[in-house]
Amino acid sequence: MSEELLRLSKRMSELGLSSRREADEWIAKGWVRVDGVVVSELGTKVYPSQKITVERQAAAEQSKRVTILINKPMGYVSGQAEDGYTPAVALIKPENRWAEDKSPEQFHPTQLRSLVPAGRLDIDSVGLLVLTQDGRVAKHLIGETTDIDKEYLVRVQYTKPGTLPDADLKKLNFGLWMDGKPLKAAKVRWQNEDQLSFTLREGKKRQIRRMCEMVGLHVVGLKRVRIGKVKLGELPTGQWRYLLPEEIF
């Protein structure tokens, strides 16, 4: 079977070397070699069996890229500003940095350049939001093959008489369909009488609110408390800190 040619930037992303955007920047700078030969033309195609190496400067530049954790308050959007709402990135300024941030990283406005949210959190949801300059982190958290789980605490009201039947709690764990597809298995359990813990491995738009509606629950409040191994912890609302080098999602 003959090999299929792939765009070099796509292949670099598949290999986890960089994001596609980073790959294009590095190719343009002459930092990428294919089988030992520098390739500096964007759009170049390669075979999967070809060896791709990256110059040291690229790794150095990548290690300077920051990842920031923020405890997003209500009323902020995760990504681009929309309909007069402020994006969460506006909170990243020296005065909002958590006093207990243990990172030696110094804040500099250039860190706000190309800082993108790795996953969204609705305007009326609060809690852990990750913003990163590192394409590898973004791909790891929101790439198509990600298996990073995310945990939410969800305050609910049951809109029918009595309490939520066990059969419906089981449905929240597995068995519901959304947008014409079955949802992946989730872990949903009661924390106390009006709060559920949801652990999901996918993130469809307004997924938890829609899941709750399907079984007669109304979401009163929603807070993301963990992404993979990284927890929101004591980080105060509206404040941010750097991801530490030893922390991995």
Side-chain angles (χ1 to χ4, degrees):
M1 204 176 98
S2 63
E3 286 191 289
E4 202 178 320
L5 281 164
L6 294 169
R7 268 185 83 108
L8 177 55
S9 55
K10 180 173 195 265
R11 182 64 181 144
M12 286 172 66
S13 166
E14 279 179 3
L15 290 168
L17 293 169
S18 65
S19 67
R20 287 195 199 187
R21 191 172 63 188
E22 278 173 328
D24 282 337
E25 282 173 24
W26 296 354
I27 292 163
K29 286 178 175 170
W31 289 353
V32 179
R33 290 175 186 258
V34 177
D35 292 337
V37 180
V38 172
V39 172
S40 56
E41 195 175 322
L42 293 177
T44 298
K45 296 199 165 177
V46 296
Y47 289 110
S49 59
Q50 291 185 280
K51 186 172 165 48
I52 298 169
T53 50
V54 182
E55 301 293 324
R56 275 211 299 270
Q57 300 95 302
E61 188 173 275
Q62 206 169 34
S63 70
K64 287 202 301 256
R65 304 203 163 186
V66 298
T67 296
I68 286 174
L69 310 176
I70 189 163
N71 184 347
K72 185 185 92 66
M74 203 93 127
Y76 284 81
V77 289
S78 312
Q80 303 298 316
E82 53 184 83
D83 314 328
Y85 292 112
T86 312
V89 71
L91 291 163
I92 299 172
K93 40 194 178 188
E95 57 270 33
N96 291 342
R97 184 174 179 180
W98 188 27
E100 292 181 38
D101 186 356
K102 295 183 175 67
S103 170
E105 192 74 57
Q106 295 291 310
F107 176 73
H108 194 274
T110 55
Q111 292 168 354
L112 300 175
R113 266 190 238 145
S114 69
L115 194 63
V116 295
R120 43 187 317 232
L121 202 52
D122 295 327
I123 190 161
D124 42 8
S125 303
V126 301
L128 184 57
L129 181 66
V130 177
L131 297 155
T132 186
Q133 290 179 314
D134 190 333
R136 292 166 306 174
V137 172
K139 184 170 184 286
H140 193 46
L141 295 187
I142 54 177
E144 284 159 28
T145 55
T146 183
D147 60 352
I148 300 276
D149 61 352
K150 302 178 176 79
E151 187 183 346
Y152 303 79
L153 294 181
V154 186
R155 202 166 286 287
V156 290
Q157 282 170 344
Y158 194 43
T159 58
K160 300 174 185 176
T163 55
L164 183 76
D166 281 349
D168 282 349
L169 182 64
K170 282 206 177 88
K171 266 189 210 162
L172 287 172
N173 279 274
F174 189 62
L176 294 177
W177 285 60
M178 199 173 282
D179 305 331
K181 287 183 182 161
L183 291 174
K184 290 182 183 173
K187 267 190 206 153
V188 184
R189 56 179 194 274
W190 287 105
Q191 294 286 99
N192 52 46
E193 60 194 29
D194 64 350
Q195 186 164 279
L196 287 162
S197 154
F198 273 73
T199 303
L200 304 181
R201 283 184 184 259
E202 62 191 327
K204 292 184 184 294
K205 196 166 184 183
R206 299 185 81 75
Q207 180 173 335
I208 291 175
R209 292 170 197 277
R210 289 162 69 194
M211 286 170 78
C212 285
E213 272 166 24
M214 290 176 187
V215 296
L217 290 169
H218 170 65
V219 172
V220 182
L222 192 154
K223 180 182 196 176
R224 183 157 62 202
V225 292
R226 181 176 64 78
I227 297 176
K229 293 178 181 168
V230 175
K231 292 179 178 165
L232 180 64
E234 305 288 308
L235 183 63
T237 304
Q239 293 191 18
W240 61 273
R241 69 175 180 87
Y242 290 104
L243 182 75
L244 299 169
E246 65 272 18
E247 286 182 298
I248 47 171
F249 290 102

